[in-house]
């Protein structure tokens, strides 16, 4: 990727003298951003533009440039790429649209492109994008005219949509916040978000990353990259819903992925997912501050109302407001008139008109080791205090730089004043207390994140080697007896069971297992066994078993006789599925209404370790039930976590499993035992 | 209130020649806002200011003005009010701080003020506020200098905090959106938010209302006013959390109220509650548009990425995106080049450069009876398309006015361009797709709201008249047998039960009730009976009853023997409490984990009607269980709703009840029956 962003020479292909030619905008961009390298233009009609000669073909260009950028009709792209390949150009950006986003009939065009890339060992960004920018070298390729309002800085941007990416640049520009790299990736035929993320994470100019995606190229790789990285990644992944599928397909040829899995994967990998542009921008502003290391916050506000709102927001986002320490009070009292400040946190400075004191307070509070961060709210109306307020605001970045701790600055004034302040300081200014709080919370959560990498060692006691799945079956649903045997061979604890194919063997099996027993249909075609009357519980003797067999066998001759587990415990569910983007996904939640109606389910991409399984359980609201709810004893949470880990390995070991359910799993004070199960193959 | 806002003459009290005198700012305000009336100044030192004579006392003023505004030290406020009273001034605004927000020792000062108001039949706004503005008459009293950037318009503003109120005016000013009335109410010693809401709802210049509160003066009255009103009220009620209490108390002398009840009451009364300033402003922008009457939305976007984001947001906010109708397509095709537009909804116009066509499309879509509203997203970068884009944006308000249906306009560009557009059209411009969607959804929900007024007629079968509550009791908890008798007398169906005070009578009672039975302790001091071993179920014979009595009686001699209800059903909870602000509050949710861990609880202020109880049940996520979940039959929801109604009346009839719980109530296919109960008195 470095060869893209640090290109010293660029060939712009598709330039003409026509005033409607979009290629010219690329040339303008390189000039406006003061590209520190050499530019050549190519266009079939030749001529010149802005003093540059327009060569009629790539072959004629007197130099093999590091990079070529194409804005030509889709149908000629393969040929021109061939020209580039022959010329020895190894990196190309294709901005032209008209590929698979218009329909599958354009796939062939893409196929030819891929062959060319392969043949010449080239890499390609696009097609259907607005290209890339390196704000530090002036390499700016968008055909969309984006004024260089945002300065050079440390935010790296990846956007599948040129329009959305351009808007982030507008936002940055309006607040004079800087970026390092920008890439619009469109259909991501060759280079995808993972390639770029990997590069941004090592690029020394980039400190935080924003990524807008409509589809995910390789979810698992994205997770691995993020887990290893040490820079916050703010991901806006759209195309979440049924009704956005059509438009996403025709905009960037993106297919929908399971949105619930995307969210879970992000949480697991430490990626910060947002679903609003404005929220993304808010968080990026927060990451311009030094990291928030803890949850102890000091709030200073000139407006009492905003102090109340800030206290509410602090509670909402999990911050604590410790009392102001004595030594701080003494320090400040030296400078303040006695009695004008009521020393509580939030500190309301409404009655204090000496803005120098505000500065002192902000600095002292920020320095104080009892506080991890400060929220500083300043309200002024022009006429009053304009100059002192502007000075105060301008001094905040210095204080933050000096102390090296995070202070979020929230300013309320006329929009003209806010704009003035933004243009005169390269420091994030918030205009809503909740936004500032959210940004600080995101920083706190990121810098205190606990990321567990994918598990690399299979727990002892699991034996994948002896298991053979049936190769083909009429139905995707595995026969419950086969599924049971496989689960047991792998190492899962099932309640003791036996297959019975007629009434007599049902009676014999029941005696061998010992009463009470359960009879369940073993017919793979019955999905909701209980609803269908396919499960009868608590059978205490031969008579009851015979009667039950006669009922249940109406669904099929084969039944499972199972020892009835009468231990007290909690019914839990462990599920799993294979996701095309992420691989094995394990899910868990408390059985019954909680999973089915409340959707109190937690998910992870596997294989996972024990600690991750515990984190997963803690994420469910029903976790409190496991811990011992209303006088009940604590369930064996470790045994449950181990079983979740094992399911994640089971799914990892057998990619032929499409989905599975262990439902219910009974969790008692000493063990986790599977009472029913279901496996469907791909 | 009209006499406040339509005052033709004002006496400003507390003006002096000193440059630090804040009273002068009030005079400046009246001039800047071009007050259409007469102004007199009063200040102890006399002199003159801006050509106005400063009278030394109220008595000297040559006219009895409609209104007086005071900005003098708190301790002299009572005397000056007395002067105003003697002079015949009936309306006063007190902006001075230093009252109960500084502590309870200032209560006496407030007491004296209240007596004066009473004696002279005066009304007072404040103290501890920044006064009021009537933007249409130029009556502008804030001592805080607020430039008249926001024009005259139709938003009415009530703010308990001057600072927060001032910020809303800044926001309006920045977007050139207009307001009618503004009131900052501070400690609301006399005039409170209800008085103002009542007036704003009839004021013909006001079309929507924003209200910021830190405390609630009279929750029930606020609900009644809102229920009768026909204008949207957006309420930002802060001071929600434990940690905001201290600061709210010292900012505006506001006490905390039960935040859950506030939210429930707002929903019930059709008040739109928000908890962010920026969210309030977003919704107010939405209410500048014609009402959204339904959920069928058309989306037009110039940027494909924003079209995808908009589709996601539409799904999130419950809008439908019907396919574009044939006739619209034909109409547009007349003007569009064939084939350039793919007619789906959202409509991506990325490839269309004729902005006149955008206008046509917007108008046609808005006119089309198959659509209730339109979201129009426009993205442009200056250089390209600047003038056509500005023209397009300027034409949108005309289209909306002509068609009379809502179109939310979302613009992406540089902030300078957005600011330009905002300053050149008095029409709301959104800069985030989710915000626009949220605003449209709030309008849709408001204009399709179903508000049930408080029930006025007690359902037949309830008999409050014969019930006598014990007057005093050592513990607030009512004896369970007394509580049971009272509930039955009132008309509630309890599972048959009897009191037993020894083993023999327990056996006799069990026989009379018929086996199986339940034994429960009747000791009022045992709160969680089941946890304490105070409930034993399913006793089938004399032996079991004797053994059970011996166990349970360890908690107290008195026990309740109850017929064990063996019907299949769902265990539900109905609770109730008396709220100091709202009166009787009834709560309901599914028993067990759902209420205790998931907090899946719905609340209403009573008394309520049957329809409201049904709405309340529908609000719970567990409602699906009542409807018949996983093959179970539908429970008798009407019987449950009736019982909720009756609890709301019971609480209404007996204000001495502090809280009560019917838990569980068993809901079967044909009835609702109370299995256990608990009543605590105030």
């Amino acid at each position: 990727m470095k060869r893209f962003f640090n290109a010293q020479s660029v060939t712009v292909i598709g330039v003409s003298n026509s005033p409607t030619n979009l290629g010219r905008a690329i040339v303008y961009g390189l000039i406006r951003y003061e590209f520190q390298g050499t530019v050549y233009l190519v266009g079939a009609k030749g001529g010149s533009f802005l003093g540059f000669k327009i060569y009629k073909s790539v072959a004629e260009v007197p130099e093999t440039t590091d990079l070529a950028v194409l804005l030509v009709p889709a149908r000629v792209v393969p040929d021109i790429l061939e020209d580039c390949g022959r010329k020895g150009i190894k990196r190309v950006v294709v901005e032209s649209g008209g590929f698979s986003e218009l329909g599958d009939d354009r796939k062939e065009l893409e196929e030819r492109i891929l062959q060319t890339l392969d043949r010449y060992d080239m890499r390609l960004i696009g097609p259907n994008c607005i290209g890339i920018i390196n704000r530090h070298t002036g390499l700016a390729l968008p055909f969309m005219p984006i004024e260089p309002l945002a300065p050079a800085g440390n935010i790296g941007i990846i956007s599948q949509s040129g329009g959305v990416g351009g808007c982030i640049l507008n936002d940055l520009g309006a607040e004079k916040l800087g970026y390092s790299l920008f890439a619009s990736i469109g259909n991501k035929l060759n280079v995808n978000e993972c390639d770029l993320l990997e590069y941004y994470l090592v690029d020394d100019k980039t400190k935080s990353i924003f990524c807008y995606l409509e589809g995910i190229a390789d979810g698992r790789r994205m997770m691995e990259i993020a887990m290893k990285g040490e820079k916050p990644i703010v991901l806006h992944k759209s195309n979440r819903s049924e009704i956005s599928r059509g438009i996403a397909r025709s905009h960037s040829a993106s297919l929908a992925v399971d949105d619930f899995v995307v969210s879970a994967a992000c949480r697991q990998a430490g990626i910060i997912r947002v679903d609003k542009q404005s929220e993304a921008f808010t968080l990026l502003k927060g990451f311009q501050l030094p990291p928030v290391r803890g949850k102890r916050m000091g709030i200073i506000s000139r407006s009492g109302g905003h102090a109340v709102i800030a206290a509410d927001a602090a509670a909402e986002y999990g911050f604590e407001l410790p009392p102001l320490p004595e030594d701080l009070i003494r320090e400040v009292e030296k400078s303040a008139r006695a009695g004008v400040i009521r020393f509580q946190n939030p500190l309301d400075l409404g009655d204090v008109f000496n803005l120098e004191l505000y500065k002192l307070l902000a600095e002292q509070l920020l320095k104080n080791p009892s506080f991890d961060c400060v929220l500083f709210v300043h309200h002024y109306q022009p006429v009053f205090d304009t100059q002192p307020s502007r000075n105060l605001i301008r001094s905040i970045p210095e204080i933050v730089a000096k102390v090296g701790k995070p202070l979020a600055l929230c300013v309320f004034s006329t929009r003209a004043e806010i704009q003035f302040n933004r243009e005169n300081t390269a420091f994030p200014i918030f205009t809503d207390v909740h936004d500032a709080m959210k940004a600080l919370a995101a920083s706190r959560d990121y810098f205190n994140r606990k990321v567990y990498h994918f598990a690399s060692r299979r727990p002892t006691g699991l034996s994948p080697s002896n298991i053979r799945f049936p190769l083909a079956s009429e139905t995707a649903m595995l026969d419950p007896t086969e599924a049971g045997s496989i689960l047991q061979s792998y190492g899962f604890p099932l309640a003791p069971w036996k297959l019975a194919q007629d009434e007599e063997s049902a009676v014999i099996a029941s005696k061998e297992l010992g009463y009470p027993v359960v009879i369940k249909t073993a017919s793979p075609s019955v999905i909701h066994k209980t609803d269908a009357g396919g499960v009868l519980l608590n059978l205490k003797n031969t008579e009851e078993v015979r009667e039950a067999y006669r009922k249940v066998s109406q669904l099929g001759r084969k039944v499972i006789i199972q020892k009835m587990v009468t231990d007290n415990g909690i019914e839990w569910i462990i599920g799993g599925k294979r996701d095309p983007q992420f691989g094995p996904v394990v899910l868990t939640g408390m059985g019954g209404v909680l999973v089915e109606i409340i959707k109190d389910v937690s998910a992870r991409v596997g294989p996972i370790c024990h600690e991750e399984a515990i984190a997963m359980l803690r994420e469910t609201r029903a976790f409190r039930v496991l811990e011992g709810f209303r006088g009940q004893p604590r369930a064996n949470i470790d045994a449950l976590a181990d079983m979740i880990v094992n399911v994640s390995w089971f799914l990892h070991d057998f990619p032929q499993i499409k989905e599975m359910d262990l439902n219910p799993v009974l969790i008692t004070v000493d063990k986790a035992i599977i009472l029913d199960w279901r496996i469907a193959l791909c």
Side-chain angles (χ1 to χ4, degrees), chain A residues 522-567:
Chain A
S523 165
S525 58
V526 180
I527 306 289
H528 295 300
K529 286 197 286 278
T530 307
D531 298 1
V535 182
L536 291 172
L537 302 174
N538 204 20
L539 310 172
K540 298 204 186 86
N541 51 48
T542 313
E543 289 318 295
E544 289 184 10
V545 167
R546 284 187 188 281
E547 193 187 327
Y549 180 83
R550 287 194 288 267
K551 279 185 193 157
V552 170
S553 61
Q554 286 170 7
L555 296 167
R557 191 169 51 85
K558 280 165 66 177
V559 301
I560 286 175
I561 309 290
Q562 191 172 304
K563 173 98 182 147
M564 171 103 181
V565 180
T566 52
D567 306 84

Side-chain angles (χ1 to χ4, degrees), chain A residues 369-401:
Chain A
S370 307
F371 293 87
D372 299 305
C373 60
V374 170
L375 174 66
F376 188 92
V377 182
H378 189 61
H379 177 202
Y380 69 103
Q381 294 288 349
V383 184
F384 266 28
D385 284 339
T386 303
Q387 202 51 53
S389 291
R390 289 176 172 188
N391 292 344
L392 171 65
I393 290 165
R394 214 169 307 165
S395 71
I396 294 292
E398 290 159 33
I399 292 173
V400 170

Side-chain angles (χ1 to χ4, degrees), chain A residues 124-288:
Chain A
L124 177 149
I125 290 178
N128 187 27
C129 72
I130 64 165
I132 63 173
I133 303 176
N134 180 338
R135 191 68 180 91
H136 291 278
T137 69
L139 178 79
L141 305 183
F143 69 85
M144 181 190 280
I146 300 169
E147 291 290 317
L149 299 173
N154 60 31
I155 299 173
I157 297 157
I158 300 167
S159 177
Q160 194 164 1
S161 155
V164 172
C167 288
I168 285 283
L169 296 185
N170 286 337
D171 285 342
L172 291 172
E175 307 202 8
K176 292 289 169 233
L177 298 175
Y179 67 102
S180 48
L181 307 175
F182 171 92
S184 139
I185 51 178
N187 294 9
K188 41 190 189 182
L189 182 60
N190 175 247
V191 168
N192 64 27
E193 64 271 22
C194 292
D195 304 313
L196 290 162
L197 280 173
E198 220 160 32
Y199 177 63
Y200 283 25
L201 284 167
V202 297
D203 174 59
D204 57 9
K205 293 275 198 307
T206 302
K207 304 281 176 228
S208 62
I209 299 167
F210 169 71
C211 188
Y212 171 77
L213 296 178
E214 291 173 7
I216 286 184
D218 182 342
R220 208 172 170 84
R221 187 174 154 218
M222 184 172 80
M223 289 178 73
E224 279 168 343
I225 292 167
M227 283 169 167
K228 280 183 216 132
E230 291 294 335
K231 299 176 187 175
I233 300 170
V234 177
L235 172 66
H236 181 183
K237 160 73 179 66
S238 71
N239 184 15
R240 308 183 65 165
S241 57
E242 208 52 66
I243 64 180
S244 55
R245 275 175 201 200
I247 181 72
R249 176 81 183 75
S250 72
H251 175 240
S252 60
S254 292
L255 303 177
V257 285
D258 183 336
D259 198 64
F260 180 73
V261 173
V262 174
S263 288
C266 285
R267 217 166 21 241
Q268 184 175 354
I271 296 169
I272 304 151
R273 183 175 187 185
V274 298
D275 64 1
K276 285 181 61 167
Q277 286 158 273
S278 52
E279 190 184 358
F281 189 57
T282 294
L283 302 194
L284 291 171
K285 285 165 74 172
F287 286 116
Q288 292 292 297

Side-chain angles (χ1 to χ4, degrees), chain A residues 245-468:
Chain A
R245 275 175 201 200
I247 181 72
R249 176 81 183 75
S250 72
H251 175 240
S252 60
S254 292
L255 303 177
V257 285
D258 183 336
D259 198 64
F260 180 73
V261 173
V262 174
S263 288
C266 285
R267 217 166 21 241
Q268 184 175 354
I271 296 169
I272 304 151
R273 183 175 187 185
V274 298
D275 64 1
K276 285 181 61 167
Q277 286 158 273
S278 52
E279 190 184 358
F281 189 57
T282 294
L283 302 194
L284 291 171
K285 285 165 74 172
F287 286 116
Q288 292 292 297
L289 301 172
V292 179
R293 300 287 179 193
K295 61 183 175 182
R296 300 163 309 163
M297 172 181 282
I299 299 177
I300 300 175
S301 174
R302 193 191 201 176
S303 143
H306 293 119
V308 177
I309 295 171
D312 279 346
E316 183 180 339
Y317 287 99
F319 283 102
E320 286 165 8
L321 306 182
L324 300 183
E326 283 297 321
D327 55 344
L328 174 73
I329 296 175
R330 272 194 300 276
E331 180 68 32
V332 173
E333 275 176 348
K334 286 183 206 159
S335 310
R337 282 176 298 154
V340 293
I341 303 181
R342 303 191 62 197
F343 280 94
Q344 59 182 331
N345 184 11
L347 191 55
D348 175 359
L349 295 179
D351 294 330
V352 181
F353 290 87
N354 168 14
L355 298 195
E356 287 299 314
L357 180 60
Y358 287 38
K359 235 185 261 186
L360 182 77
L361 269 168
E363 183 167 344
Q364 293 299 327
L365 196 56
L366 197 59
K367 273 185 183 163
N368 196 294
S370 307
F371 293 87
D372 299 305
C373 60
V374 170
L375 174 66
F376 188 92
V377 182
H378 189 61
H379 177 202
Y380 69 103
Q381 294 288 349
V383 184
F384 266 28
D385 284 339
T386 303
Q387 202 51 53
S389 291
R390 289 176 172 188
N391 292 344
L392 171 65
I393 290 165
R394 214 169 307 165
S395 71
I396 294 292
E398 290 159 33
I399 292 173
V400 170
K402 193 163 76 180
V403 182
K405 281 169 66 184
L407 176 151
L409 174 63
C410 193
V411 178
F412 294 99
S413 190
T414 60
R415 220 163 281 188
E417 272 303 306
I418 286 166
Q419 201 50 35
F420 176 90
N421 287 310
R422 282 185 169 151
E423 281 177 12
N424 286 280
T425 170
F427 188 81
I429 295 178
F430 295 92
T431 53
D432 182 286
V433 165
H434 273 81
D435 285 347
M437 199 64 78
K438 183 182 273 184
L440 290 171
S443 174
R444 176 199 62 202
D445 293 345
Y446 179 77
F447 290 106
N448 293 281
R449 74 197 182 283
K450 186 82 198 111
V451 168
Y452 302 102
H453 293 263
F454 291 124
S456 53
R457 200 177 300 172
R458 190 178 290 100
T460 51
L462 300 187
S463 21
S465 47
N466 297 323
I467 292 173
R468 293 292 165 270

Side-chain angles (χ1 to χ4, degrees), chain A residues 595-618:
Chain A
V595 162
E596 300 212 30
I597 290 182
I598 306 293
K599 312 287 181 210
D600 181 32
V601 176
S602 159
R604 289 293 186 279
V605 178
I608 61 172
C609 62
H610 184 85
E611 291 74 19
E612 185 80 90
I614 295 283
M616 196 178 168
L617 288 170
R618 283 188 183 278

